[in-house]
Amino acid sequence: RVKADGRGSYHRYTDALHHDSVRELTIETRLRKAIKENVFEIYYQPKVDLAAGKMIGFEALLRWFDQENQQFISPAEFIPVAERLGLIGTLGDWVLNEVCRHLVQWQQDGLEILPVAVNISAQQLMKDNLAETVSRILKMTGASASWLELEVTESCFIPEQADRIALILHELRSEGINISIDDFGTGYSSLSYLRRLPLDALKIDRSFVMHVPDNEEDARLASTIIAMAKGLGLRVIAEGIEDERQLDFLRQHGCHQGQGFMFAKPAPEKQVRSWLAEKWCPVEYCALAASE
Ligand code: C2E
Ligand code: MG
Ligand code: MG
Ligand code: MG
């Protein structure tokens, strides 16, 4: 947005606002159309065990290629619009269905299954029947609950709804589904709150990983989060690992798992098949792990 820098800033500010709302309106129209025409695709990004250097699972990331402008629109931009329009239920169900369908196909093709984590938005979680929806989709597709993980962000954890959220998560977990807290460190959840929730893993937000090890403050924060997660008995996953120095730092501090462009960018389902078939392992890093 435009900073207040004297005369004329007001106009630029309203222009910027106008521009934002026009963009949102166009996204809104196209999103409704995209949902009707089902033009979405799931990409998958490998999760890596940092100690062993092995691929141990994937995160499913929704992709929308906007035909009109011939470009991808980021889920960070259109998911909030879908939530506001009440379309996230339809979209979220589609993602769960599609991921389960892929998992079953991989199994039928004789590939060894690695679990897939699906992102769940606050509204999806608060709908009273998420556990029911998930178990219906599992049954319908024939996918196993142990293949599925759910990622929920801290923004889902509304203090007034703590009991209800705990109940929903318990229900999902009793089905055998692992739950991770996503983008950790960007929200306001307290330790006492976290302790009450049935969680399996904690994902350190990319913003804390980005500047390690050079930025001392971030390095201290990252290592503190890792220690805290372990203290809570949670698996720790670092997002957005882009280079070897970040990786070394995280490994030294005992971070269990990681994702990032250094290993692999999110890729289409077809790519997952070859990764699974060749039991792919982020090559340079495997060499590193083997040499230790
Ligand atoms: P997220 O769940 O925190 O996902 C991680 C994001 O970081 C993804 O962006 C991924 O492509 C990106 N990323 C992974 N490694 C690196 C790296 O090394 N460097 C950089 N710069 N980025 C990296 P993406 O796919 O654009 O998704 C953005 C957000 O949109 C996700 O953040 C998630 O909150 C949301 N989202 C994506 N798919 C879904 C979905 O199916 N349902 C819901 N509710 N939200 C979704
Ligand atoms: Mg996520
Ligand atoms: Mg995340
Ligand atoms: Mg993130």
Side-chain angles (χ1 to χ4, degrees), residues 126 156-167 193 196:
M126 295 305 294
C156 296
F157 300 161
I158 308 142
E160 294 76 37
Q161 300 282 341
D163 292 334
R164 233 188 100 210
I165 291 163
L167 203 71
Y193 191 146
R196 290 171 59 191

Side-chain angles (χ1 to χ4, degrees), residues 45 59 61-63 74-76 79 95 119-121 124 151 182-183 206 239-242 260-261 266:
Q45 184 180 39
E59 175 173 5
L61 295 157
L62 187 55
R63 290 291 176 264
S74 163
I79 293 281
V95 172
N119 291 287
I120 298 293
S121 79
Q124 257 178 299
E151 296 189 359
D182 204 352
D183 299 339
R206 188 164 69 87
E239 304 186 322
I241 306 175
E242 294 186 351
F261 294 173

Side-chain angles (χ1 to χ4, degrees), residues 240-260:
I241 306 175
E242 294 186 351
D243 63 53
E244 208 140 315
R245 295 182 61 236
Q246 293 170 330
L247 172 64
D248 287 343
F249 176 90
L250 292 162
R251 292 184 73 213
Q252 276 160 20
H253 287 86
C255 182
H256 303 115
Q257 302 174 1
Q259 288 170 253

